[in-house]
Amino acid sequence: MTSTGGNVNDENCLGYAARDPSGFLSPYKFSRRAVASSDVSLKITHCGVCYADVIWTKNVFKHSKYPLVPGHEIVGIVREVGSGVQRFKVGDCVGVGTYVNSCRDCDYCNDGLEIHCAKGSVHTFDDIDDDGTITKGGYSTHIVVHERYCYRIPENYPPASAAPLLCAGITVYTPMMRHNMNKPGKSLGVIGLGGLGHLAVKFGKAFGLIVTVFSTSLSKKEEAVNLLGADNFVLSSNEQEMKGLHNSLDFIINTASGDIPFDQYLPLLKTGGVLSLVGFPTEVKFLPNNLNLGMKTISGSITGGTKQTQEMLDFCAANRIYPNIESIPIQHINEALERLINKDVKYRFVIDIENSLK
């Protein structure tokens, strides 16, 4: 079925929404827009659970717009396409990530870096789209998105596993590619072993890197080495072990959102080494000589553009990289968000929308 757009879409979409800063989610009905000529309508089958869902539903940044339907790691099956859609057809398995619109005209958009759109990309939920409506995310039965911001899920790649790649995966893949962390034999340090960190380890091993995991918890050692295949594990509070790694790492990715002692980590980098920050600590504080001596770099990054997101999905399929997930029904989402806050998940919740949201 195709559509030329312009029709009034009175079909109710069922979702789960937060109504206030308690963040408690419950069923909520709303309408998606009609399918325009460049739009794709997806029946959502899976949605990953990101810490951003906690932050926005609880109004941490004080700009949440309620009712708020979170979710920006979306996978579904195309059920309708606009008359001008070129890349997808009904029945395709497609993903949607952290943004659903941009100006499509600035230098960043033209370079496939839509997330950095000069006029601001439109987030998948709790943002204002160009038609003035507030975007609502993937904790819902279906979504309508311009085809540019949709990704082809490779054939035979499990849809549930694809969901976390659309935020957690691309968030670590982007700086790895930007800083040439895909060279076999180089050494990578990964700070934190959550949803992002475990994927940084998997990508690092697929690239042929020597991977060291840093954690404040000794309990993470077995899973880092035996489950995820890291080459080394270091308890960051062990000063002797940390000093023993001085000038040994080409790259460090900090996936932790808690504050870390940067002056403890920068000396671990070799000359010209890069520490990439993908988490959001409350401050970044370090002595200048720990950066200047050895020409070291601290670099920030968020998610990635459309071109690189598709590249990452294809890379994961080709190299059989699968996030470690725990599947849940939508009815367990409030418990899952509490567990996420308490770091009680290995390593990403994925909501089975298709079989539980009806």
Side-chain angles (χ1 to χ4, degrees):
M1 174 170 60
T2 62
S3 170
T4 56
N7 301 322
V8 176
N9 188 352
D10 56 5
E11 178 184 357
N12 279 332
C13 183
L14 178 60
Y16 263 56
R19 269 64 169 205
D20 57 53
S22 72
F24 184 84
L25 292 157
S26 58
Y28 168 64
K29 283 189 174 182
F30 62 100
S31 292
R32 294 290 188 187
R33 71 168 185 257
V35 176
S37 62
S38 298
D39 284 341
V40 173
S41 177
L42 303 182
K43 176 190 175 185
I44 299 173
T45 60
H46 300 87
C47 186
V49 179
C50 177
Y51 202 80
D53 302 342
V54 173
I55 292 171
W56 263 262
T57 55
K58 290 185 177 293
N59 199 23
V60 171
F61 294 143
K62 308 301 180 188
H63 55 52
S64 296
K65 296 172 280 295
Y66 298 103
L68 190 152
V69 179
H72 61 197
E73 296 180 338
I74 302 166
V75 175
I77 302 298
V78 177
R79 64 176 198 171
E80 186 178 352
V81 296
S83 59
V85 170
Q86 302 289 321
R87 297 169 50 226
F88 303 104
K89 64 183 186 303
V90 172
D92 285 348
C93 187
V94 169
V96 175
T98 62
Y99 52 97
V100 291
N101 215 339
S102 64
C103 78
R104 303 196 281 277
D105 191 43
C106 69
D107 289 345
Y108 301 107
C109 286
N110 288 333
D111 284 344
L113 294 170
E114 296 89 345
I115 185 63
H116 300 291
C117 174
K119 296 181 181 178
S121 59
V122 176
H123 295 163
T124 303
F125 66 84
D126 195 46
D127 206 349
I128 300 174
D129 213 341
D130 57 9
D131 63 358
T133 60
I134 296 171
T135 57
K136 293 177 171 60
Y139 291 20
S140 56
T141 50
H142 80 278
I143 191 168
V144 179
V145 181
H146 188 288
E147 69 167 328
R148 178 168 179 153
Y149 311 96
C150 297
Y151 309 100
R152 184 175 301 281
I153 305 302
E155 193 174 350
N156 300 323
Y157 194 90
S161 298
L165 297 177
L166 296 163
C167 176
I170 190 60
T171 297
V172 291
Y173 185 86
T174 295
M176 293 183 88
M177 298 306 291
R178 179 185 174 196
H179 297 293
N180 300 311
M181 299 185 195
N182 58 345
K183 295 182 178 177
K186 296 283 188 177
S187 51
L188 169 69
V190 177
I191 303 172
L193 201 60
L196 276 68
H198 96 286
L199 283 167
V201 173
K202 287 175 182 277
F203 286 140
K205 292 305 296 179
F207 289 140
L209 304 180
I210 301 163
V211 180
T212 299
V213 170
F214 297 90
S215 178
T216 57
S217 174
L218 189 59
S219 64
K220 295 288 184 77
K221 181 175 183 178
E222 184 176 344
E223 57 198 67
V225 176
N226 296 331
L227 179 65
L228 299 174
D231 299 282
N232 306 297
F233 177 90
V234 173
L235 194 63
S236 56
S237 60
N238 188 321
E239 290 184 23
Q240 190 173 352
E241 280 192 29
M242 293 290 282
K243 285 182 179 178
L245 289 176
H246 279 198
N247 303 309
S248 70
L249 300 175
D250 295 289
F251 317 107
I252 297 174
I253 293 182
N254 176 25
T255 70
S257 284
D259 291 334
I260 67 161
F262 283 84
D263 286 318
Q264 196 177 1
Y265 284 100
L266 286 170
L268 308 188
L269 290 171
K270 296 178 182 177
T271 296
V274 176
L275 190 158
S276 180
L277 187 66
V278 296
F280 285 85
T282 59
E283 65 176 5
V284 177
K285 190 177 180 181
F286 55 88
L287 295 170
N289 60 316
N290 278 333
L291 193 70
N292 296 348
L293 300 178
M295 303 188 301
K296 295 165 186 178
T297 299
I298 293 180
S299 173
S301 189
I302 46 173
T303 60
T306 55
K307 181 179 178 182
Q308 203 156 58
T309 301
Q310 187 65 60
E311 175 189 300
M312 173 211 58
L313 288 165
D314 295 339
F315 178 81
C316 288
N319 291 274
R320 299 184 178 182
I321 298 171
Y322 307 106
N324 292 46
I325 63 173
E326 180 178 337
S327 181
I328 60 165
I330 189 75
Q331 292 79 11
H332 292 180
I333 186 57
N334 291 299
E335 175 191 351
L337 291 172
E338 283 302 312
R339 286 180 56 194
L340 182 59
I341 292 168
N342 295 324
K343 301 179 181 178
D344 178 24
V345 55
K346 293 185 176 59
Y347 290 92
R348 204 72 162 180
F349 287 117
V350 175
I351 307 169
D352 183 355
I353 296 286
E354 183 177 31
N355 292 310
S356 65
L357 185 56
K358 297 178 181 178

